[in-house]
Amino acid sequence: SLLILDEAQNFHAALLEEIRLLSNMEIAGEKLLHIFLVGQPQLLENVKTPGLGQLKQRLGIMYNLLPLSRLETELYIHKRLGVAGAHEVDIFRGDALDAIFACAKGFPRLINILCDNALLFGCSTNTYHLGRDIIRRVAQDMDISTLEEDVTPESGRLTRPAARTPEPRAVMSSGVPPPPPEWHQPEQTGAQAPQ
C-alpha cells in the first residue's frame, strides 16, 4: 500500500512521529505501507529537529524539486492547456510566457495561479491571445511581485537554477528502498543521497 501525504511541512511533531510508527508495520519482513511525505522546504527543517531523529533515520529517499526553467515553464503551460482540452496551446504569447516565468520564478503552483487568473481575465475581456500586460496586471492584482528585467535568452535552456532557490518542493519516502545505482541520478539539482 502507498500513502502520500502532501503539505507535510504543516504536520506537527507528534503527527510525524505517528507516521513514523505506521512505517514500522511489516509482515514477513515486507513493509505493509510505503509513505511519501511531500511539502515545502520547511519539511526538511522539521525532520531535522532533535525529537524526530528516528523519523529522519527511516527516510529512504530525500529529493528537492527545483523550479522550472523558462523553457520548462512554457512546455508545462502548453502541456496543461493540452490536457485541459485547449485546441490551441499558444494562448499565451511569448512576452506573456516571459512574464509568467519572471513572476512565478519557475514554481508550478504560482504558474498555475497566474495562468488561471489570466485566462479568466482574457475570457471576461474576449482576449484570445494573452500578452505581458495581462500577466503583469494579474500579478499586481494578486500581489505577486514581478521581475522588471526581461528574461534572458540563455534562460530558455533546459537547465536548472542554482540550489539556492527559496521554495523547492521536498519529497521524502519512508520504507522504500533506494534506487539501484544504475538508475539515472539527477545532475547536482539538490538531490541528496538516500539515508
Side-chain angles (χ1 to χ4, degrees):
S1 296
L2 176 64
L3 174 63
I4 301 174
L5 302 166
D6 198 6
E7 300 296 338
Q9 76 278 358
N10 296 325
F11 297 170
H12 51 80
L15 180 56
L16 288 170
E17 177 60 17
E18 289 180 30
I19 291 168
R20 183 193 66 81
L21 293 173
L22 284 174
S23 72
N24 289 335
M25 297 188 313
E26 294 183 9
I27 292 183
E30 282 286 319
K31 292 284 183 191
L32 291 178
L33 189 61
H34 297 285
I35 302 171
F36 284 84
L37 299 175
V38 182
Q40 300 296 325
Q42 183 59 41
L43 174 58
L44 295 174
E45 297 304 316
N46 294 348
V47 169
K48 292 177 184 177
T49 59
L52 293 173
Q54 289 183 343
L55 174 64
K56 186 177 178 189
Q57 293 171 4
R58 298 297 306 248
L59 298 177
I61 299 170
M62 297 176 75
Y63 187 79
N64 288 330
L65 298 177
L66 297 178
L68 303 176
S69 70
R70 164 58 177 82
L71 178 58
E72 289 169 324
T73 298
E74 181 175 346
L75 296 173
Y76 175 75
I77 292 169
H78 288 173
K79 177 68 173 177
R80 294 283 306 236
L81 287 169
V83 168
H87 298 292
E88 295 180 38
V89 294
D90 62 345
I91 295 169
F92 295 95
R93 296 189 326 231
D95 62 335
L97 294 169
D98 290 342
I100 291 167
F101 177 71
C103 293
K105 299 171 184 66
F107 295 111
R109 180 177 292 178
L110 284 176
I111 293 169
N112 293 343
I113 292 169
L114 283 167
C115 290
D116 285 347
N117 283 282
L119 289 167
L120 284 172
F121 183 87
C123 182
S124 69
T125 59
N126 290 324
T127 306
Y128 299 101
H129 294 283
L130 308 176
R132 176 187 307 261
D133 54 334
I134 291 175
I135 301 304
R136 287 194 171 167
R137 180 173 176 173
V138 166
Q140 182 180 16
D141 289 347
M142 297 172 56
D143 201 26
I144 297 174
S145 63
T146 60
L147 297 176
E148 291 305 318
E149 67 270 8
D150 289 329
V151 177
T152 59
E154 62 270 8
S155 66
R157 292 179 292 160
L158 280 172
T159 56
R160 298 285 187 170
R164 60 180 171 71
T165 53
E167 292 188 47
R169 299 280 288 173
V171 179
M172 293 188 275
S173 168
S174 173
V176 178
E182 67 270 10
W183 282 18
H184 170 70
Q185 294 297 318
E187 298 176 16
Q188 299 299 325
T189 60
Q192 299 178 9
Q195 298 182 4

